[in-house]
Amino acid sequence: MMSKRRQTLGIQIVGALTALMIVAYFFLPAGVSNTPSVANRGGRPITNLNELSIDDFQRRPMQEQAVQAPNPNRVKAAFVILARNGDLTGVRYAMRQVEDRFNHKFNYPYVFLNEQDFTTEFKTLTKSLTKGDTYYGKIDPSMWGYPSYINETYAAECRQDMADRNIIYGGSESYRHMCRFQSGFFFRHPLLDDFEYYWRVEPDVQYFCDIDYDVFQMMKDNDYKYGWTLSLTEYPETIPTLWETTQEFIRKHPDYIIRGAGSLLPWVTDDGFLTYNGCHFWSNFEIGSLDFLRSKRYMDYFEYLDRAGGFFYERWGDAPVHSLAVAMFLRKEEVHFFNDIGYKHNPLMHCPTESYLQSKCHCNANENFDWDGWSCATRYRQRLDPSFVWNEFTYYNKTAPYRISA
Ligand SMILES: Nc1nc2c(ncn2[C@@H]2O[C@H](COP(=O)(O)OP(=O)(O)OP(=O)(O)O)[C@@H](O)[C@H]2O)c(=O)[nH]1
Ligand SMILES: *[C@@H]1O[C@H](CO)[C@@H](O)[C@H](O)[C@H]1NC(C)=O
Ligand SMILES: *[C@@H]1O[C@H](CO)[C@@H](O)[C@H](O)[C@H]1NC(C)=O
Ligand SMILES: [Mg+2]
């Protein structure tokens, strides 16, 4: 119940407002009959809503921001986002940050991929966030489905078994198609044909630091083929035979493997190549060379893994697959750690701890994951430090395994 005092106060306020409106009616200029257009108003403040034409409400900010013609010499690069229509809100959340932290200065295009048709809503509400071009591609069943040599009955049994053992995404069929697509196909999608570099973005990720240089140009100038921010160990239950399959591949193609001081392989094993330690770059963030993924050695590796069936009979992730390929085929000088890109994909965050980098970020450096238990950044730093001289790398040899020792 409203008290008598409050009722009185209410009446007084309404009265005062009415008086103000009457005063305003006499003192403010009357509406001009010839409504000026947006162009000829010349920055004069709007004092009367009648002055506004419908054009003022339609796409006004877009019309005022002239879209700059992209630099013709700019690197052929694009953001690549694999997503479902249901990921729209998470995609916008990530895109908003990519734009604010980096892309509003460069306007690189986005390529969206989906095994289903994107809805008009998805297209409209992503296109509206960027001045860059946006492309929407449907993934052909040849890139998202079972190859002929996979026994689907057996694959279903394997999924059930992994679900029973509570292995993360172990029971999911779509997750497997996704991992296989990201391992072997996204870079061959026709919409990526004209591009040289990609930056992978996932729904719901966060970017914390201003990036005021052209990252793709930097990659190209330095001849980097792969860039990462977070690394960690894989759940071994998802990749029981990935390492031995990779070893078989190495034995078949010894000439593909980078050896010696330039090799990244010491990063992926703790016992002289007997076993994989699970270390991988977290592929939800990647900036990389598409030509590297399209190279014969990478394609041969993917084909070899695909035939082995582990994308379906186990649950091989695209992150360990990309990372083992990087470790085998790239020299460490071709791989770049993006320490300056503060980034989070739940539950892990890379946040630069150096104050000169932190000054451009809004993440909490105390939550930086790099030097924690299951991070692989420590091993990366210790083992791949250029001042550390590596013995000649010998590929896996059960009789004389390569030992990592100083
Ligand atoms: N079109 C499509 N995209 C998918 C599908 N499953 C996953 N994705 C996308 O593939 C990427 C990886 O999937 P996520 O579900 O994020 O997998 P994750 O990062 O391992 O796990 P989360 O912790 O759930 O993020 C994201 O960009 C997803 O939007 C699918 O069935 N169809
Ligand atoms: C496919 O897998 C099922 C279940 O493991 C098995 O019974 C069947 O023999 C397999 N089929 C072929 C052609 O190998
Ligand atoms: C493995 O190591 C042993 C001992 O050093 C050597 O004799 C043999 O040739 C090696 N095998 C291969 C396949 O390199
Ligand atoms: Mg994800």
Side-chain angles (χ1 to χ4, degrees):
M1 272 285 281
M2 213 189 243
S3 73
K4 179 93 182 140
R5 224 166 70 89
R6 279 222 202 136
Q7 263 181 32
T8 318
L9 187 67
I11 290 163
Q12 281 169 358
I13 289 172
V14 171
L17 279 175
T18 312
L20 257 177
M21 281 163 75
I22 293 165
V23 171
Y25 178 83
F26 285 106
F27 283 86
L28 291 178
V32 190
S33 53
N34 257 345
T35 307
S37 74
V38 182
N40 71 16
R41 188 182 294 117
R44 192 158 55 80
I46 297 158
T47 50
N48 186 331
L49 276 186
N50 292 333
E51 262 188 69
L52 291 172
S53 74
I54 191 70
D55 287 344
D56 289 294
F57 295 98
Q58 282 175 349
R59 301 174 50 85
R60 188 157 164 237
M62 296 295 280
Q63 286 167 358
E64 287 180 358
Q65 291 169 19
V67 177
Q68 286 174 359
N71 168 5
N73 302 318
R74 154 178 107 159
V75 179
K76 292 185 170 66
F79 297 97
V80 181
I81 307 188
L82 175 70
R84 296 153 287 209
N85 286 306
D87 293 320
L88 176 59
T89 304
V91 166
R92 301 188 85 225
Y93 181 88
M95 249 184 109
R96 179 74 267 162
Q97 296 178 62
V98 168
E99 288 295 315
D100 292 349
R101 300 281 82 75
F102 170 75
N103 201 42
H104 69 283
K105 297 193 193 83
F106 301 99
N107 299 327
Y108 278 105
Y110 288 77
V111 174
F112 298 90
L113 299 173
N114 186 356
E115 85 285 9
Q116 295 179 350
D117 287 313
F118 280 116
T119 59
T120 308
E121 184 194 23
F122 188 99
K123 294 185 204 173
T124 311
L125 291 179
T126 47
K127 192 175 174 52
S128 66
L129 289 180
T130 180
K131 284 183 269 160
D133 291 329
T134 48
Y135 304 95
Y136 301 86
K138 189 167 180 177
I139 300 164
D140 195 76
S142 67
M143 296 184 169
W144 192 284
Y146 290 98
S148 58
Y149 43 83
I150 293 297
N151 179 337
E152 294 184 37
T153 316
Y154 181 51
E157 290 172 1
C158 294
R159 286 200 300 279
Q160 188 57 54
D161 170 60
M162 289 179 79
D164 293 345
R165 290 188 286 136
N166 288 319
I167 294 167
I168 186 166
Y169 293 115
S172 170
E173 186 176 32
S174 67
Y175 195 85
R176 285 176 171 77
H177 289 306
M178 182 276 287
C179 289
R180 180 170 173 265
F181 176 78
Q182 297 285 35
S183 298
F185 295 100
F186 84 89
F187 48 89
R188 291 190 273 169
H189 191 282
L191 280 180
L192 290 171
D193 279 354
D194 291 335
F195 296 111
E196 227 180 314
Y197 286 87
Y198 71 100
W199 179 333
R200 175 162 157 188
V201 176
E202 275 200 9
D204 295 303
V205 300
Q206 286 175 272
Y207 282 91
F208 301 103
C209 309
D210 270 350
I211 308 163
D212 49 20
Y213 62 96
D214 186 335
V215 163
F216 295 115
Q217 189 67 53
M218 187 283 286
M219 291 287 289
K220 201 173 160 137
D221 291 349
N222 290 286
D223 212 16
Y224 289 134
K225 304 290 195 310
Y226 192 86
W228 60 282
T229 57
L230 279 164
S231 69
L232 67 160
T233 52
E234 182 60 295
Y235 299 99
E237 304 82 14
T238 66
I239 48 164
T241 66
L242 177 59
W243 184 244
E244 67 185 65
T245 311
T246 302
Q247 297 286 3
E248 283 163 21
F249 176 81
I250 291 176
R251 279 195 284 275
K252 273 197 151 54
H253 299 280
D255 50 311
Y256 283 172
I257 313 302
I258 305 287
R259 292 140 199 279
S263 173
L264 284 150
L265 278 163
W267 180 57
V268 298
T269 178
D270 296 338
D271 55 10
F273 298 94
L274 277 175
T275 59
Y276 177 35
N277 60 18
C279 281
H280 61 282
F281 305 116
W282 222 15
S283 60
N284 47 65
F285 169 98
E286 281 181 330
I287 300 177
S289 156
L290 291 162
D291 292 336
F292 166 60
L293 297 176
R294 294 173 190 133
S295 69
K296 180 159 167 40
R297 58 207 157 143
Y298 185 87
M299 287 307 307
D300 285 352
Y301 179 51
F302 172 71
E303 183 71 18
Y304 195 84
L305 296 182
D306 202 26
R307 293 251 161 204
F311 289 109
F312 295 106
Y313 306 144
E314 296 179 5
R315 206 228 64 197
W316 294 351
D318 53 286
V321 170
H322 287 184
S323 300
L324 287 172
V326 165
M328 287 189 289
F329 308 140
L330 295 181
R331 295 177 324 109
K332 63 186 187 193
E333 294 80 10
E334 295 176 302
V335 177
H336 181 61
F337 170 41
F338 275 104
N339 191 22
D340 53 347
I341 298 193
Y343 172 78
K344 182 169 189 178
H345 175 297
N346 255 334
L348 305 177
M349 174 164 81
H350 166 71
C351 181
T353 51
E354 297 79 357
S355 55
Y356 77 100
L357 294 174
Q358 180 56 225
S359 61
K360 289 183 179 177
C361 311
H362 71 277
C363 50
N364 180 351
N366 294 326
E367 290 171 28
N368 179 35
F369 168 70
D370 296 356
W371 318 118
D372 274 15
W374 43 301
S375 162
C376 285
T378 315
R379 269 172 278 211
Y380 194 89
R381 186 175 63 177
Q382 287 170 348
R383 296 185 188 168
L384 306 180
D385 187 310
S387 64
F388 190 85
V389 180
W390 291 98
N391 298 324
E392 180 66 14
F393 163 65
T394 345
Y395 64 89
Y396 182 54
N397 180 343
K398 277 204 163 96
T399 57
Y402 173 73
R403 292 282 161 202
I404 291 167
S405 54

